[in-house]
Coordinates of all heavy atoms in Angstrom, one line a residue:
L202 N -16.8 -4.2 -4.3 CA -17.2 -3.1 -3.3 C -16.3 -2.9 -2.2 O -16.5 -2.1 -1.3 CB -18.6 -3.6 -2.7 CG -19.7 -3.8 -3.7 CD1 -21.0 -4.1 -3.0 CD2 -20.0 -2.5 -4.5
A203 N -15.1 -3.6 -2.1 CA -14.1 -3.4 -1.1 C -13.1 -2.4 -1.5 O -12.8 -2.2 -2.8 CB -13.5 -4.7 -0.7
S204 N -12.4 -1.8 -0.6 CA -11.3 -0.9 -0.8 C -10.0 -1.7 -1.1 O -9.5 -2.4 -0.2 CB -11.1 0.0 0.4 OG -9.9 0.9 0.2
F205 N -9.5 -1.6 -2.3 CA -8.3 -2.3 -2.7 C -7.4 -1.5 -3.5 O -7.8 -0.8 -4.4 CB -8.8 -3.6 -3.6 CG -7.7 -4.4 -4.1 CD1 -7.4 -5.7 -3.4 CD2 -6.8 -4.1 -5.1 CE1 -6.4 -6.5 -3.8 CE2 -5.9 -4.9 -5.5 CZ -5.6 -6.1 -4.9
E206 N -6.2 -1.4 -3.0 CA -5.2 -0.5 -3.7 C -4.0 -1.3 -4.1 O -3.4 -2.0 -3.2 CB -4.7 0.6 -2.8 CG -5.8 1.6 -2.3 CD -6.4 2.5 -3.6 OE1 -5.7 2.4 -4.6 OE2 -7.4 3.1 -3.3
N207 N -3.6 -1.2 -5.3 CA -2.5 -1.8 -5.9 C -1.4 -0.7 -6.2 O -1.6 0.1 -7.0 CB -2.8 -2.6 -7.2 CG -1.6 -3.3 -7.8 OD1 -0.8 -3.8 -7.1 ND2 -1.6 -3.4 -9.1
L208 N -0.4 -0.8 -5.4 CA 0.7 0.4 -5.4 C 2.0 -0.2 -6.1 O 2.1 -1.4 -6.3 CB 1.0 0.9 -4.1 CG -0.2 1.5 -3.3 CD1 -0.5 0.6 -2.2 CD2 0.0 2.9 -2.9
Y209 N 2.8 0.7 -6.6 CA 4.0 0.4 -7.3 C 5.3 1.1 -6.7 O 5.1 2.2 -6.2 CB 3.9 0.7 -8.7 CG 2.9 -0.2 -9.6 CD1 1.5 0.4 -9.6 CD2 3.2 -1.2 -10.2 CE1 0.5 -0.4 -10.3 CE2 2.3 -2.0 -10.8 CZ 1.0 -1.6 -10.9 OH 0.1 -2.3 -11.5
P210 N 6.3 0.4 -6.7 CA 7.6 0.9 -6.0 C 8.5 1.7 -7.1 O 9.7 1.9 -6.9 CB 8.3 -0.3 -5.5 CG 8.0 -1.3 -6.6 CD 6.6 -1.1 -7.1
T211 N 7.9 2.0 -8.2 CA 8.7 2.5 -9.3 C 9.6 3.8 -9.0 O 10.7 3.9 -9.4 CB 7.8 2.9 -10.6 OG1 6.8 1.8 -10.7 CG2 8.6 3.2 -11.8
Y212 N 8.9 4.7 -8.2 CA 9.6 5.9 -7.8 C 10.9 5.6 -7.1 O 11.9 6.1 -7.4 CB 8.7 6.8 -7.0 CG 9.3 8.0 -6.4 CD1 9.9 9.0 -7.2 CD2 9.4 8.1 -5.0 CE1 10.4 10.2 -6.6 CE2 10.1 9.3 -4.4 CZ 10.5 10.3 -5.3 OH 11.2 11.3 -4.7
D213 N 10.8 4.8 -6.1 CA 12.0 4.4 -5.3 C 13.0 3.7 -6.1 O 14.2 3.7 -5.9 CB 11.5 3.6 -4.1 CG 10.7 4.5 -3.1 OD1 11.4 5.2 -2.3 OD2 9.5 4.5 -3.2
I214 N 12.5 2.8 -7.0 CA 13.5 2.0 -7.8 C 14.2 3.0 -8.8 O 15.4 2.8 -9.0 CB 12.7 0.9 -8.5 CG1 12.2 -0.1 -7.6 CG2 13.6 0.3 -9.6 CD1 11.5 -1.2 -8.3
V215 N 13.4 4.0 -9.4 CA 14.1 4.9 -10.3 C 15.1 5.7 -9.5 O 16.3 6.0 -10.1 CB 13.0 5.8 -10.9 CG1 13.7 7.0 -11.6 CG2 12.2 5.0 -11.9
K216 N 14.8 6.1 -8.3 CA 15.7 6.9 -7.5 C 17.0 6.1 -7.3 O 18.2 6.6 -7.4 CB 15.2 7.3 -6.1 CG 14.2 8.5 -6.3 CD 14.0 9.1 -4.9 CE 13.6 8.1 -3.8 NZ 13.3 8.7 -2.5
S217 N 16.9 4.8 -7.0 CA 18.1 3.9 -6.8 C 18.9 3.7 -8.0 O 20.1 3.8 -8.0 CB 17.6 2.6 -6.2 OG 18.7 1.8 -5.8
I218 N 18.2 3.6 -9.2 CA 18.9 3.4 -10.4 C 19.7 4.6 -10.8 O 20.8 4.6 -11.2 CB 17.9 3.1 -11.6 CG1 17.3 1.7 -11.3 CG2 18.6 3.2 -13.0 CD1 16.2 1.4 -12.4
V219 N 19.1 5.8 -10.6 CA 19.7 7.1 -10.8 C 21.0 7.2 -9.9 O 22.0 7.7 -10.3 CB 18.8 8.3 -10.6 CG1 19.5 9.7 -10.6 CG2 17.7 8.3 -11.7
R220 N 20.8 6.9 -8.6 CA 21.9 7.0 -7.7 C 23.2 6.1 -8.0 O 24.2 6.6 -7.9 CB 21.4 6.7 -6.3 CG 22.4 6.9 -5.2 CD 21.8 6.5 -3.9 NE 20.6 7.2 -3.6 CZ 19.5 6.6 -3.4 NH1 19.4 5.2 -3.5 NH2 18.4 7.2 -3.1
H221 N 22.9 4.9 -8.5 CA 23.9 4.0 -8.7 C 24.3 3.8 -10.1 O 25.4 3.4 -10.4 CB 23.5 2.6 -8.1 CG 23.2 2.6 -6.7 ND1 24.3 2.5 -5.8 CD2 22.1 2.7 -5.9 CE1 23.7 2.5 -4.5 NE2 22.4 2.6 -4.6

Side-chain angles (χ1 to χ4, degrees):
L202 300 181
S204 174
F205 182 99
E206 295 294 350
N207 182 33
L208 301 113
Y209 292 88
T211 314
Y212 172 65
D213 293 274
I214 290 178
V215 166
K216 284 199 304 182
S217 187
I218 293 173
V219 168
R220 184 182 307 115
H221 296 281

